[in-house]
Amino acid sequence: MLTPLRLLTPLLLPLLLVLLASPNAAAQVPDTTYRKPELPTGPPAPVVQPRPQPQPRVREQQQPEVVRQQEQDEPQEEQLRFIDRLYFGGSFGLQFGTYTNIALLPTLSYALTPKLFAGVGGVYHYQSGDGFNLHHYGGRALLQVEMFSIGDGAVLAHAEAEALSISVPYFDATGRRYTDRTALTIPMVGLGYRQRISHKGSFDILVLYNGNDDPINPYSNPVIRVGFNVPFTSR
C-alpha cells in the first residue's frame, strides 16, 4: 500500500522546479559580483547662482562745517555789501593844436547786477582858441550793460545824458569879446568794449553818438572815450 508521501512526491518536484526558475526566486539569491560604478556621460547640469539683492544706497550727508566752507568759497550776490558794488572811474579826453580841448569825466557807478551798471558823474570841459578861454561843467547820469563776452572782456552798451552849463563866446558892437552861459542837455548812446584788468577792474573804450546838434555843443560825432573802472573792494 502506497503512503501519502509517496503519492505527493511526483507532484511536489515539478512545483519546486517552477519556483526556483521564477524571477522572484532569483532575486532572493544574493549577488556577490563587484561592479565598477558608472560616471555620468551627459553635459554637466548648469549651476544656478543666487541673484544678488540690491543694497539700499546710503546718502552721504555733508558735515555742517563743510557746507559752511563751501558757502564762504562761493560768493553770493546777496552777501555783498553796498560798498562792494561801488566802482570809481571815468574817462578823459585831450586835444591840442589851434584849439585846445581838455575833458574830464569822473564817474561813480553801482553794479545793479553782475552785468548791469548805473552811475552818476561830473563833467568838465576846457576849450581855448581865437582868444577865448571857455569852461563848461555839469553832471551826467549813465547806464551800461555788458551784452556778451569776447575773450577776457565784454561788448558794452552805453547810454547817458549830460546836463551842462555852456560858456558861449560872442562879440559886442565894438568888437570886444564876451562870454555868456546857457544850459544844454546832451544825450549820447553807443557801444564799446570792456577789457578786464583784474578780478573786478576794467578798461573801457567807447564810441558814442551825440544826439544834440546845437552849434554850441562841445562834442562832435562820433564821440570816442577811453575810461576805467576800479572797485572800492575786492569782494
Side-chain angles (χ1 to χ4, degrees):
M1 182 176 180
L2 297 175
T3 64
L5 181 59
R6 289 182 177 181
L7 293 175
L8 295 175
T9 297
L11 298 175
L12 294 174
L13 184 57
L15 180 60
L16 182 59
L17 293 175
V18 172
L19 293 175
L20 292 174
S22 66
N24 293 333
Q28 294 176 1
V29 178
D31 187 3
T32 61
T33 303
Y34 173 76
R35 293 179 176 85
K36 185 179 180 180
E38 296 181 359
L39 297 176
T41 59
V47 179
V48 179
Q49 297 292 338
R51 188 173 183 180
Q53 298 296 327
Q55 298 294 330
R57 297 180 62 183
V58 179
R59 184 176 181 181
E60 297 182 358
Q61 296 183 355
Q62 293 181 334
Q63 298 297 327
E65 294 78 5
V66 177
V67 175
R68 286 195 294 267
Q69 184 63 34
Q70 291 180 350
E71 292 177 352
Q72 294 175 1
D73 295 340
E74 298 177 359
Q76 299 180 5
E77 291 300 320
E78 60 271 13
Q79 294 180 350
L80 296 179
R81 301 166 299 175
F82 177 81
I83 194 172
D84 298 328
R85 297 174 180 266
L86 288 178
Y87 292 78
F88 170 78
S91 57
F92 60 90
L94 297 174
Q95 179 182 349
F96 298 100
T98 305
Y99 294 92
T100 300
N101 192 342
I102 301 174
L104 300 176
L105 301 99
T107 302
L108 181 65
S109 59
Y110 179 80
L112 300 172
T113 72
K115 295 183 179 298
L116 178 63
F117 300 84
V120 294
V123 181
Y124 173 75
H125 287 271
Y126 170 77
Q127 291 179 317
S128 65
D130 292 335
F132 288 95
N133 294 315
L134 305 177
H135 302 272
H136 316 308
Y137 48 84
R140 62 181 182 142
L142 61 92
L143 189 67
Q144 293 180 331
V145 180
E146 295 181 9
M147 296 190 296
F148 53 89
S149 299
I150 295 180
D152 294 333
V155 174
L156 194 65
H158 179 99
E160 70 172 66
E162 291 187 6
L164 295 181
S165 174
I166 302 293
S167 180
V168 182
Y170 69 94
F171 295 90
D172 63 7
T174 62
R176 295 180 180 179
R177 298 182 179 92
Y178 291 92
T179 60
D180 197 4
R181 307 201 68 85
T182 185
L184 187 67
T185 300
I186 307 171
M188 285 187 281
V189 294
L191 298 174
Y193 181 75
R194 170 163 290 171
Q195 176 66 46
R196 307 292 182 190
I197 57 177
S198 68
H199 172 61
K200 295 175 65 177
S202 61
F203 179 82
D204 297 346
I205 299 177
L206 298 173
V207 179
L208 307 177
Y209 173 76
N210 167 24
N212 190 324
D213 58 357
D214 195 302
I216 64 174
N217 190 332
Y219 296 107
S220 59
N221 282 315
V223 179
I224 299 176
R225 288 180 179 171
V226 177
F228 63 92
N229 300 282
V230 178
F232 276 66
T233 68
S234 60
R235 294 183 59 184

